[in-house]
Amino acid sequence: MAAPRRSFSCESATQTLEWMNAIAVFLRPFKPLLDAHVVNFFKDRLWEMVDEQWMECLRKESVENLLKLPSGFVQDYWPHSLQEFICTLRSLVFAREPKLSHPFLCNLHVASLGSVLTQGMSLKKKHEVEILAAVISKVASGSGAQTIIDVGSGQGYLAQALSFEYQLSVTAIDASLHHATVTNARAERIKKHYAAKIAGSQHLKVPRTVTCHVLSSDILTALSTVSLHEENVEQSTDTNNSLENDVLENLKSHIGKASYLYNNRKIGPPLVLAGLHACGDLSVNMLRTFVDCEQVKAVVGVGCCYNLLSEDHAEKTNTPCGFPMSRAAKLSGLTLGKNAHDLACQSAERWRSLTKDDALQNFDVHTFRAAFQMMS
């Protein structure tokens, strides 16, 4: 087995930049392959771009061994250049092992959510909501925040756990009016349950919902800067693609007040932005809002659907794109594109766990599709 390469780190800006540049340099020669859909690998004979020695070697390998390739598996008898390629690749990969040893998370109290709050949740979702709600509560306490903005709130599972279990004021933002309706109805059912058990239940925290597309950080900054507890901040009930504009229109009378408060440093109460599976650019816009809006003291986010990130070279809009986000990343010259984004969402664990028959069936689908495309 070839010796593993050096490890990279994000402990400092300099080390992070070094890692980013190393990834950009590594990927650049393979950009034509990264930009191609897997079907085009067959249809356009893209295997001819791969080193002949590699292809000759890998043709003789078992399916089981090929499925281990994304995990950094190599054999001593493979061409040295192929071993170097895989070992370098392995050294550039982000670690997937969870690291929960940060001092901030010591003595973290995770409340076990009851059946009323977890109704409709899968076991995975219940686990995620319990852990993240506890982390958000601790972050809010440490930053002096009593208000949480749940970005991409879905059906309101996280928002309701924060409201009813941790007694935090929550505004749940989602692009789907259906999700807002479900969140409100579910919150009312939960409130009735708590009201029957708790004296003084009229003071129970219930999440407020706002329906809008968060296409940029502007809407989050507006919602964050304006006091979200004011009843006259209206919710949008439109369902077309201009929801963000509708909400901004509804907030327009309050934006002047927000600007006055900001310019005179009379910033409103501290907020925490939170998101569980904040899709695509949502996570990016949360980070930009954290930078732009002084009222936002912390961000707690678990992103997802990175393949839906917008990219500078592909999008022709005035809105800042999701990737690359930093100046340093732009200077590295790293560009990906839709197919590369989709490829990046593949997990090595998934391929490693496939049986031989499942793997062959998976590849058969792509080869048949390529054959049909060539015939059409």
Side-chain angles (χ1 to χ4, degrees), residues 102-119:
H102 193 283
F104 180 81
L105 295 176
C106 290
N107 302 316
L108 178 69
H109 171 69
V110 180
S112 178
L113 303 180
S115 58
V116 174
L117 270 174
T118 60
Q119 185 178 6

Side-chain angles (χ1 to χ4, degrees), residues 224-298:
S224 301
T225 308
V226 175
S227 174
L228 293 173
H229 301 291
E230 295 180 9
E231 291 301 320
N232 55 356
V233 177
E234 301 173 15
Q235 301 178 63
S236 170
T237 56
D238 199 350
T239 56
N240 61 29
N241 291 329
S242 61
L243 283 170
E244 184 183 50
N245 291 333
D246 293 334
V247 172
L248 285 172
E249 283 297 316
N250 287 334
L251 291 171
K252 189 173 286 184
S253 62
H254 303 281
I255 299 301
K257 173 187 174 182
S259 299
Y260 172 81
L261 291 173
Y262 184 82
N263 292 332
N264 289 275
R265 290 297 182 265
K266 295 179 180 178
I267 308 302
L271 309 171
V272 173
L273 285 183
L276 175 56
H277 300 162
C279 187
D281 284 354
L282 279 182
S283 293
V284 174
N285 289 327
M286 288 168 65
L287 292 173
R288 287 195 173 115
T289 303
F290 173 67
V291 172
D292 294 340
C293 185
E294 191 172 337
Q295 196 174 349
V296 177
K297 301 302 180 184

Side-chain angles (χ1 to χ4, degrees), residues 46-208:
L46 295 182
W47 63 81
E48 294 176 354
M49 299 177 63
V50 181
D51 185 286
E52 288 184 16
Q53 277 191 313
W54 297 10
M55 291 298 295
E56 184 63 27
C57 168
L58 295 176
R59 280 193 185 101
K60 300 172 184 176
E61 282 299 328
S62 66
V63 173
E64 289 83 0
N65 282 351
L66 292 176
L67 291 171
K68 297 175 186 174
L69 270 174
S71 301
F73 172 84
V74 295
Q75 293 281 19
D76 290 336
Y77 56 80
W78 288 359
H80 181 69
S81 59
L82 178 56
Q83 293 186 47
E84 286 282 306
F85 170 82
I86 294 173
C87 289
T88 302
L89 175 61
R90 191 165 56 198
S91 72
L92 294 170
V93 169
F94 290 104
R96 295 179 62 87
E97 293 76 21
K99 293 183 178 180
L100 299 176
S101 58
H102 193 283
F104 180 81
L105 295 176
C106 290
N107 302 316
L108 178 69
H109 171 69
V110 180
S112 178
L113 303 180
S115 58
V116 174
L117 270 174
T118 60
Q119 185 178 6
M121 294 187 198
S122 64
L123 287 176
K124 174 177 178 288
K125 178 67 72 175
K126 177 178 182 290
H127 172 76
E128 292 172 337
V129 170
E130 285 182 341
I131 298 293
L132 198 63
V135 171
I136 293 168
S137 175
K138 187 160 187 178
V139 170
S141 176
S143 62
Q146 290 292 318
T147 301
I148 313 297
I149 300 181
D150 182 8
V151 183
S153 57
Q155 298 187 43
Y157 294 145
L158 178 62
Q160 288 151 8
L162 291 168
S163 292
F164 292 106
E165 186 66 36
Y166 292 95
Q167 290 299 293
L168 292 163
S169 296
V170 183
T171 294
I173 302 175
D174 197 89
S176 168
L177 180 60
H178 171 70
H179 282 166
T181 303
V182 170
T183 297
N184 291 335
R186 192 172 185 275
E188 284 303 313
R189 290 197 301 272
I190 296 171
K191 183 181 178 181
K192 288 179 182 177
H193 169 79
Y194 276 78
K197 296 178 64 175
I198 303 173
S201 58
Q202 64 270 21
H203 300 301
L204 283 172
K205 304 283 189 182
V206 179
R208 298 185 65 248

